[in-house]
C-alpha cells in the first residue's frame, strides 16, 4: 500500500540489507513491516525497503557487484545503484 507524502505526516524509511553480511537487518525490516508497521501508520508515512543491496545479501558481501559500499554512497547519481 502506498502513501501520500503530502498528507502532512512525517515520512519514515525503514531499511535493511545495506551490507549483505548483516542479514539481521533484512529480517528486522520484514518483521517490522509484518508485525509493527500498522501501529504507526496513522502517525507516519512509512516505506520499507528490506533489502537495499540484494546481490550483497545473496552473496553475503559488504559491497555490491561493482565493489561499491552502498552505505557510503547515499548520494544522487551514485554508482551504488
Amino acid at each position: 500500500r502506498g502513501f501520500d507524502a503530502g498528507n502532512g505526516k512525517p515520512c519514515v524509511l525503514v531499511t535493511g540489507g545495506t551490507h549483505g553480511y548483516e542479514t539481521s537487518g533484512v529480517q528486522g525490516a520484514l518483521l517490522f513491516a509484518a508485525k509493527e508497521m500498522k501501529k504507526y501508520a496513522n502517525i507516519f508515512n512509512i516505506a520499507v525497503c528490506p533489502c537495499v543491496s540484494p546481490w550483497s545479501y545473496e552473496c553475503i558481501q559488504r559491497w555490491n557487484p561493482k565493489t561499491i559500499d552502498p552505505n557510503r554512497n547515499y548520494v544522487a547519481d551514485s554508482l551504488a545503484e
Side-chain angles (χ1 to χ4, degrees):
R1 175 172 90 149
F3 64 81
D4 176 7
N7 65 8
K9 294 190 283 185
C11 296
V12 175
L13 174 62
V14 177
T15 66
T18 301
H19 296 137
Y21 59 49
E22 297 168 348
T23 58
S24 61
V26 173
Q27 300 306 312
L30 291 170
L31 185 63
F32 173 79
K35 303 280 184 176
E36 302 294 328
M37 191 164 73
K38 284 185 180 180
K39 294 178 189 175
Y40 302 99
N42 291 329
I43 303 167
F44 300 103
N45 293 308
I46 304 170
V48 179
C49 181
C51 194
V52 172
S53 189
W55 181 89
S56 300
Y57 182 72
E58 288 292 323
C59 297
I60 312 171
Q61 294 291 322
R62 178 180 179 93
W63 306 276
N64 71 9
K66 297 177 183 177
T67 63
I68 296 171
D69 183 343
N71 197 47
R72 304 288 183 256
N73 289 278
Y74 282 121
V75 295
D77 302 318
S78 168
L79 295 175
E81 297 179 350

